[in-house]
Amino acid sequence: DAGRPAGRPAGRDSPRQPSAAVGRRLPSTSSPTCHAMLLDIDGLDVAWPFDYVYPEQYAYMLALKRSLDAKGACTLECPTGCGKTVCLLALLLAYQRARPDDVTKVVYCSRTVGEIEKVLDEAKLVVRARDDELRKAGVADDALPPTLVLGLSSRRNLCVHPRVSEQRTGKAVDAQCRNMTASWVRDAATGGGGGDDA
């Protein structure tokens, strides 16, 4: 799976080209590596960061869009390697742009740091495709909507302090970090009492 481009399911030798009714190719103006197209998902323009879309991906985005329209919950399943992440991100960012009063932020949760990193990479592709689509529509670079994509993780994965990073468990990392950064430690440090390397 690692060598296959996101959005291309395993076991497929050549991508299927979407029909004209499903998507149209967008010229890339900001990056020569982004071969985007604009998809019509039940009346919603979705910038798709690849030059192909599989019927399963289209159906996945359509089900998600209809669930959002109904303001309901949904459970979507698709096998590994089908491009679920990029489908979710592309549809959700398009939905957010079309309905800014209904969708003010998108929170995407994942289980592992590796999965979070994958989501951040695919979010870059989706935002680039969206920005290319807006440029094609005549939107100037300085008028493109700002998009903040932020990956959060635990202290265990992010702390760079040598003493804290030696700890083996999340609880030990949290305790050591708290002992070095708590407000009373910072107060003692600014009052001349020392803050234990804080």
Side-chain angles (χ1 to χ4, degrees):
D1 279 348
R4 188 177 64 256
R8 180 176 287 184
R12 302 267 172 94
D13 293 322
S14 62
R16 288 185 215 152
Q17 296 298 320
S19 69
V22 173
R24 59 186 184 275
R25 182 91 184 247
L26 294 175
S28 176
T29 57
S30 67
S31 170
T33 61
C34 184
H35 302 288
M37 67 178 162
L38 193 61
L39 302 176
D40 178 10
I41 307 287
D42 198 25
L44 178 68
D45 286 339
V46 177
W48 183 249
F50 304 106
D51 60 355
Y52 51 87
V53 63
Y54 292 107
E56 298 85 1
Q57 293 169 323
Y58 185 87
Y60 194 86
M61 289 185 279
L62 182 61
L64 178 59
K65 196 246 183 214
R66 289 181 176 165
S67 178
L68 291 169
D69 286 345
K71 299 187 185 313
C74 69
T75 300
L76 299 172
E77 289 185 289
C78 215
T80 300
C82 288
K84 293 181 295 292
T85 301
V86 74
C87 287
L88 285 166
L89 293 172
L91 191 284
L92 290 172
L93 289 178
Y95 202 89
Q96 181 183 32
R97 186 170 50 94
R99 295 170 177 81
D101 294 335
D102 294 338
V103 184
T104 56
K105 68 175 89 170
V106 174
V107 177
Y108 189 107
C109 298
S110 192
R111 190 175 51 87
T112 68
V113 172
E115 290 170 356
I116 291 169
E117 289 171 351
K118 178 183 173 229
V119 169
L120 294 174
D121 288 342
E122 292 192 3
K124 289 178 193 175
L125 291 173
V126 170
V127 170
R128 185 181 311 136
R130 184 216 45 207
D131 290 351
D132 285 352
E133 181 253 324
L134 291 172
R135 284 185 191 97
K136 182 179 180 267
V139 176
D141 282 351
D142 60 350
L144 292 172
T147 303
L148 174 65
V149 179
L150 179 64
L152 301 175
S153 186
S154 67
R155 290 184 187 107
R156 176 73 182 111
N157 296 319
L158 297 176
C159 186
V160 296
H161 192 282
R163 205 165 3 141
V164 175
S165 61
E166 289 174 359
Q167 302 300 319
R168 294 185 186 267
T169 68
K171 287 183 180 182
V173 169
D174 288 345
Q176 186 77 37
C177 185
R178 196 171 22 261
N179 288 339
M180 295 172 66
T181 61
S183 59
W184 66 87
V185 174
R186 290 192 313 269
D187 290 345
T190 57
D196 193 27
D197 299 332

